[in-house]
Amino acid sequence: MNKPAIFCLLFSFCCLLLHAQVTEQEYVKDYALHDLKDSLPAGQHYYIAGLNSDNVFCRPEEFSIVRRLGKNLAIIHVERLTDSIRNHLRFLFPANNKWKLSPRFSTSPTGKGKYLIRLLNRKVNTLNKHKLTVLYSYQNSYIVSAQQSVLPAGLLADDNVLFIDNHKSPVVETVLNGMDLSTNKITAAHSLYPAIAGDSLTASIKENLFDTTDVDLTNRYISTGLASSITESHAGIMATLIGGAGNSYYTGKGVAYRANLTSSDFTNLLPDSDDTYSNYSISVQNHSYGTGIENYYGADAAAYDETATRHPSLVHVFSAGNSGDKTSDTGVYKGIANYANITGSFKMAKNIITVGSIDSFYHVLPLSSRGPAFDGRVKPELVAYGTDGSSGAAAIVSGTALLLQQAYKQKHGHLPPGPIVKALLLNTADDVAAKGIDYQSGFGSLNALRALEENQAQHFTFDSLSTGETKQYSLQLPANAVNLKVLVCWADPPATPNSYKALVNDLDLQLVNTLTNEIHQPLVLNAFPLKDSLQQQARPGRDSLNNVEQVTILHPGAATYQVQVSGRDVPQGRQAFAIAYQWDTLNSFTWLYPTKNDNLAAGDINTVRWQSNLADEQARLEISYNKNAGWQNVGQTNISNNLHSFTVKDSFRIAQLRVLFNGNYFYSDSFTVSKRLGTGVGFNCPDSFLLYWQQAPGIQQYRVYGLGQFFLEQKAITSDTFMLIPKAGNPLYYAVSPVIGNYDGIKSYGFDYTTQGVDCYIRSFLADLATPSTALVRIELGTNINLRYVTLEKQYGTQIKNLATWQPVTSTSYTFTDDSLTQGLNLYRLRVVLTDGRSISSDIQTVNYLNNKNFIVFPNPLRAGQTIKILTSQLNNYQFILYSSLGKKLIQANLPDISNEIYPGILARGVYFYAISLDGQVVYKGKLVAQ
């Protein structure tokens, strides 16, 4: 090849690289370019190739594309050149092996190396050859360790190695505090679909282990043997958000509150084994952790994409991260502040759902990580409530995915394909942040109720196609239809790690108005790496990056639309896809919170919610606390805000809300207004215990709940504010709620009566020196119910003396001052006498009285079998030494407490001497007589 030709080829190559926005010039080997007419150099199998078209189809015996560097630029694996291969190529550059390394790769300075590797073929002997220990694998992806910190010699040059990355340590995203399930319409979904709560489904929480004994998870934990040995509160919060039963309090109720839960250690960043997902029927896995900002498609991303093809019903949900204020220092979007800061290469996968966080007013939080993905794809796909981070937001989406799976299974008898669940979740999301899809909120804020409604209405379809094929579906819209949304989603095959874009099979969606032939294309974001471009509003166009495409029409009118899905480029197999569609009804209004099952917190600020597409104008919100009468104005609000906050009256009532708009009233369900009752345990005796609770104004009845196999169950309705419960056959865990008309008010905290610090009627009984010569006795009773009298007793040798008696027992708190102390031990006991004559005695309380002495040694004389008691006025490093009358040392012991006991063994009758020393100096001595 002559020099001008080489120059032209180099120039063309550089132009291609610039067009692809990559810097892969470093991947070219530093020896001569290869002429396509020549045979290939011996031992050289990987090349940088210029392709004649981005639609390249080849047989395995020809060449394989192992990594895309640009639209018409790729790393290929080829054994020999044939005329057929030459027809596909414009040029070849022999490639070095740097293209196999992740952008973040670095060699550990000390210790063992730990790597994430992807192979061309699943051959463990490849790794054995390089003396690597396989720690875990998923299909062609491996986590391995090497004896040295440096990359093993020859590994990078191995033809079977496609990708090498450092193995990273995950960390949980910020812990979530507080919860508001009404933000994402979950409380409304619970109210309207009470039979859908995740029954018989299992979600896996991949991170450290949650507390499997948590009362909100009772009897619903499934052990797989994959759980971490570390228990962490963050995991407990995620488990509660996904599937908490609400036994502890209403804030402990999760989205899929009847689902089973299991745990998988997240130190393994690859998917769990196929057998784990299958054997334990795991249909959703939650991932609320990150490893730092990473803008590339790694072997871990490819592995998670692969699970979608191997487990078609499995849904993976990841938190986007809490680095929204950070700037990436790698990738195409390097240096663009507050964009492209998703935390982890595994979150670059296509077939997962990545979730950012919003507050209860639908504002995307500043710390919520933003897209785009490394190749310009939409990330995150959804946002959900999570005021302290995206962890909880991901958990809420995971729980909602379980609800959809159960609803689908009820109708069809089997779990839905993952793309149907994803399509429904994304297409029903409420638009927040910028209009349409965007790189802050993706397709919008999760709307659990709307997703269930569209599932129940069967507003979806599932089909498949190949390259060049088009599928068409007719969609008839009524005259009052507005906000039409149609979305296509497919589980795309995994791409090769480090490819310049992740999409493999490219489908196209469009809507055609059959009357006007007007074509509507999906919304597409500007992915050009400038901040101004990334902030632009999405516009209709052809999407060649995402495996999710959505068409929206604000005013479709009464028309028939043809939904068309085309296989533009499907190089791998026949591609299955899901379509979801929905529209709103003009001038509609629906109350979402509170529903008939909800309670507004009395005396506190509450946020109420509705869904409406009425005109963007002011409306008046009113509340009635008196059975649809006596309406009170609680504020003006723009009806398009879909929410309003106000302070609710401090009362226990049934209330109702209404909105006045353009002369029309829109009424909510009736609901309760109440607050949490204070509860306690009066006594905990061997055969029974007493529960009591705060009396609520105007309330005549209370409902008592006890913990059943999974949930709190009604035990009784009573008009009293206490309940005596026999222990036999009854649970340990209880809660109480006021009965307001035909409704239950808010339940109290759930509590275990055995852990409330109450004995049999006696909560506490304490005696201490109040002055150098007086003792103060303090008495706290659990209750005064069924008590005849209470007596304080003092022991004098073998005699018992009554110090005080309280009858009737009108209080639960008493004190007594004893000014008749005797030198040595003063022993007190409390005796409680019940109305049925039974008597209950406390443990003995002791007060040590030294009568202005530093030490007291007693009893003296000492009888056989007794212990020697030594009282000291202060703690110090004292020692006690006992001598015989002849001066022989018999006992030497430390005195670690103010009150000490020493057993001397069998002492012969006679006189003994003792000494108390401090640091070798005798500070006290005396005589002891043994009888």
Side-chain angles (χ1 to χ4, degrees), residues 786-789 831-840:
N786 294 335
L787 293 186
R788 181 178 296 174
Y789 62 88
R831 192 160 61 90
V832 175
V833 179
L834 309 183
T835 54
D836 61 5
R838 286 183 296 160
S839 179
I840 299 165

Side-chain angles (χ1 to χ4, degrees), residues 58-208:
C58 54
R59 295 186 297 275
E61 66 269 17
E62 295 179 339
F63 71 87
S64 58
I65 296 175
V66 295
R67 178 180 168 189
R68 290 272 188 174
L69 303 178
K71 184 176 182 182
N72 300 107
L73 190 67
I75 299 285
I76 69 168
H77 181 272
V78 59
E79 297 287 344
R80 63 189 182 87
L81 279 177
T82 64
D83 290 340
S84 175
I85 293 175
R86 290 185 179 95
N87 290 334
H88 291 299
L89 306 179
R90 296 174 59 198
F91 57 79
L92 281 180
F93 286 83
N96 61 32
N97 294 308
K98 293 182 181 179
W99 61 272
K100 299 180 180 182
L101 296 176
S102 82
R104 283 287 189 189
F105 183 83
S106 63
T107 300
S108 175
T110 60
K112 292 184 178 181
K114 200 172 179 182
Y115 305 103
L116 174 61
I117 295 176
R118 191 165 176 91
L119 302 182
L120 181 65
N121 299 305
R122 189 172 172 81
K123 294 179 181 177
V124 177
N125 63 333
T126 298
L127 304 177
N128 293 338
K129 179 174 65 176
H130 300 289
K131 297 181 180 179
L132 297 172
T133 301
V134 177
L135 304 177
Y136 182 82
S137 67
Y138 186 82
Q139 298 306 309
N140 289 12
S141 296
Y142 295 82
I143 298 172
V144 300
S145 67
Q147 291 299 319
Q148 302 297 323
S149 62
V150 297
L151 200 66
L155 181 65
L156 196 60
D158 193 307
D159 276 358
N160 198 33
V161 175
L162 292 182
F163 177 82
I164 305 176
D165 197 357
N166 300 105
H167 182 264
K168 297 145 289 193
S169 297
V171 293
V172 296
E173 312 287 7
T174 305
V175 173
L176 179 75
N177 295 311
M179 177 40 50
D180 181 2
L181 292 183
S182 72
T183 302
N184 296 112
K185 288 73 175 178
I186 293 163
T187 51
H190 286 168
S191 178
L192 291 174
Y193 299 99
I196 299 175
D199 303 62
S200 302
L201 300 181
T202 301
S204 170
I205 299 169
K206 195 171 178 74
E207 54 178 279
N208 285 324

Side-chain angles (χ1 to χ4, degrees), residues 847-922:
V847 174
N848 301 324
Y849 177 52
L850 277 68
N851 195 14
N852 296 320
K853 293 186 177 181
N854 289 328
F855 305 95
I856 296 178
V857 179
F858 64 100
N860 195 357
L862 183 70
R863 293 192 300 274
Q866 286 187 310
T867 58
I868 303 171
K869 297 180 175 63
I870 303 109
L871 304 182
T872 68
S873 61
Q874 59 183 345
L875 289 174
N876 221 320
N877 297 320
Y878 295 119
Q879 279 195 329
F880 177 83
I881 307 170
L882 183 67
Y883 300 92
S884 71
S885 59
L886 299 177
K888 181 181 179 181
K889 185 188 293 185
L890 301 176
I891 296 172
Q892 181 171 329
N894 293 326
L895 304 179
D897 298 313
I898 289 177
S899 177
N900 305 272
E901 290 192 36
I902 298 171
Y903 180 63
I906 304 300
L907 295 177
R909 292 183 181 183
V911 178
Y912 297 82
F913 299 93
Y914 64 84
I916 297 175
S917 64
L918 178 64
D919 299 330
Q921 300 294 318
V922 175

Side-chain angles (χ1 to χ4, degrees), residues 465-479:
L465 47 63
S466 57
T467 297
E469 189 176 0
T470 297
K471 293 294 181 75
Q472 302 182 43
Y473 313 90
S474 182
L475 194 59
Q476 178 69 49
L477 269 67

Side-chain angles (χ1 to χ4, degrees), residues 209-283:
L209 181 61
F210 50 87
D211 179 4
T212 59
T213 65
D214 189 323
V215 69
D216 286 321
L217 310 174
T218 298
N219 294 325
R220 290 186 291 121
Y221 172 67
I222 296 175
S223 176
T224 64
L226 298 178
S228 169
S229 60
I230 301 171
T231 301
E232 190 171 24
S233 61
H234 182 276
I237 295 172
M238 299 306 103
T240 302
L241 290 174
I242 293 170
N247 295 326
S248 61
Y249 197 44
Y250 75 91
T251 54
K253 184 177 181 179
V255 182
Y257 53 90
R258 291 200 290 263
N260 296 318
L261 297 164
T262 188
S263 180
S264 174
D265 191 344
F266 68 165
T267 54
N268 160 34
L269 284 174
L270 291 176
D272 295 329
S273 69
D274 290 337
D275 286 345
T276 298
Y277 293 125
S278 299
N279 294 345
Y280 296 99
S281 302
I282 295 168
S283 58

